[in-house]
Amino acid sequence: MSISENINNIKSQIPEHVTLIAVSKTKPNTMLLEAYNAGQRDFGENYVQELIDKQEQLPKDINWHFIGHLQSNKVKYIAPFVHLIHGVDSFSLLKEINKQALKNNRVIDCLLQIYIAQEETKFGLDFNEASQILNSTEFKELKNVAIKGFMAMASNTDNQEQIKKEFASLKTFSLQYPELTILSFGMSSDYLLAIEKGSTMIRVGSSIFGERNYTK
Ligand SMILES: *Cc1c(COP(=O)(O)O)cnc(C)c1O
């Protein structure tokens, strides 16, 4: 199947209120353009340098989502244009985003990344840490960031019940913050499950662009 067929196929399976993010890391611009020409406007990237290069070269009406682990010293490179930063996992990172957003005279939308998996390797805040940030006066003083919701990754397992439980735990937590309406979870292997559990933003890579080859 072609990239546009893949996109249309996924779109036909998901409800209107769910945003499809095409995760294009490691993929060449020609493939992103194919998706763009099929109507796709939201793209997700994990690496700062790759994102900057693509943003320069591709159409300017693309919404660029940064979905990787973001280091504070690199925020300045994406602050002028990034649409949504998904992986905010510390207050110090949030402060740096605020600082760079102010320099660019804009408000940057962010999601707090929550740790829901049972693995040690994933980044993210636990529920208490997220609440502490959201309830703190220091956070409320940051005028150039807007927290819009939460992002998470489930355990890398075939156990559907486990994945469901993890997604559901985030949905339940998010109900304490009804104004934070974006829930970013679900990837190629589990996006339908994710939507069933309340996801409003799915991040799909390999089901659109094919498997990634990191060895090049
Ligand atoms: C790579 C990546 C995805 C997409 O993964 P697929 O399994 O290819 O759909 C989604 N979210 C994050 C954070 C990623 O790094």
Side-chain angles (χ1 to χ4, degrees):
M1 290 230 281
S2 70
I3 288 171
S4 63
E5 284 171 326
N6 290 339
I7 287 175
N8 290 329
N9 178 36
I10 294 166
K11 284 210 170 137
S12 73
Q13 298 169 13
I14 67 177
E16 198 121 332
H17 73 275
V18 174
T19 304
L20 170 64
I21 299 180
V23 176
S24 45
K25 61 185 178 222
T26 80
K27 299 297 181 185
N29 286 345
T30 49
M31 292 179 89
L32 278 78
L33 269 179
E34 222 177 303
Y36 180 89
N37 289 333
Q40 184 65 29
R41 290 295 179 273
D42 290 90
F43 289 81
E45 290 283 339
N46 292 54
Y47 309 105
V48 168
Q49 188 58 52
E50 186 179 351
L51 172 54
I52 297 167
D53 292 343
K54 286 175 171 171
Q55 192 271 337
E56 274 173 16
Q57 292 156 11
L58 290 166
K60 295 299 172 241
D61 61 342
I62 289 177
N63 297 325
W64 292 104
H65 297 250
F66 191 81
I67 63 169
H69 182 65
L70 184 56
Q71 289 170 293
S72 289
N73 60 357
K74 296 197 171 160
V75 173
K76 57 178 176 285
Y77 302 117
I78 64 172
F81 64 85
V82 69
H83 179 71
L84 180 64
I85 298 176
H86 290 231
V88 176
D89 61 357
S90 72
F91 189 64
S92 62
L93 176 59
L94 198 59
K95 273 196 299 199
E96 177 63 17
I97 296 169
N98 186 70
K99 184 174 143 192
Q100 298 300 334
L102 179 60
K103 276 191 191 166
N104 286 279
N105 200 16
R106 58 187 299 237
V107 175
I108 295 181
D109 290 345
C110 296
L111 305 178
L112 292 181
Q113 183 169 358
I114 308 291
Y115 177 93
I116 57 171
Q118 286 195 318
E119 297 147 12
E120 285 300 325
T121 52
K122 300 258 162 73
F123 294 104
L125 303 157
D126 64 31
F127 293 136
N128 279 332
E129 291 166 332
S131 291
Q132 268 171 26
I133 290 177
L134 291 169
N135 299 334
S136 71
T137 46
E138 231 191 328
F139 163 66
K140 286 167 189 151
E141 284 161 7
L142 302 181
K143 299 297 179 215
N144 292 75
V145 287
I147 303 281
K148 296 289 186 182
F150 305 99
M151 179 263 208
M153 289 171 90
S155 294
N156 186 10
T157 170
D158 291 333
N159 184 340
Q160 303 274 304
E161 289 310 311
Q162 177 66 29
I163 294 172
K164 272 192 204 174
K165 219 168 64 189
E166 292 174 3
F167 286 155
S169 73
L170 181 57
K171 173 68 187 176
T172 303
F173 172 73
S174 74
L175 294 175
Q176 295 173 56
Y177 302 96
E179 71 285 8
L180 306 186
T181 52
I182 299 180
L183 292 179
S184 166
F185 55 81
M187 321 200 303
S188 291
S189 57
D190 55 19
Y191 65 84
L192 289 177
L193 237 177
I195 293 167
E196 193 188 308
K197 291 299 165 193
S199 172
T200 67
M201 206 173 248
I202 56 173
R203 309 178 308 262
V204 180
S206 41
S207 290
I208 294 175
F209 297 109
E211 294 299 324
R212 286 176 294 275
N213 177 7
Y214 285 101
T215 54
K216 290 242 161 98

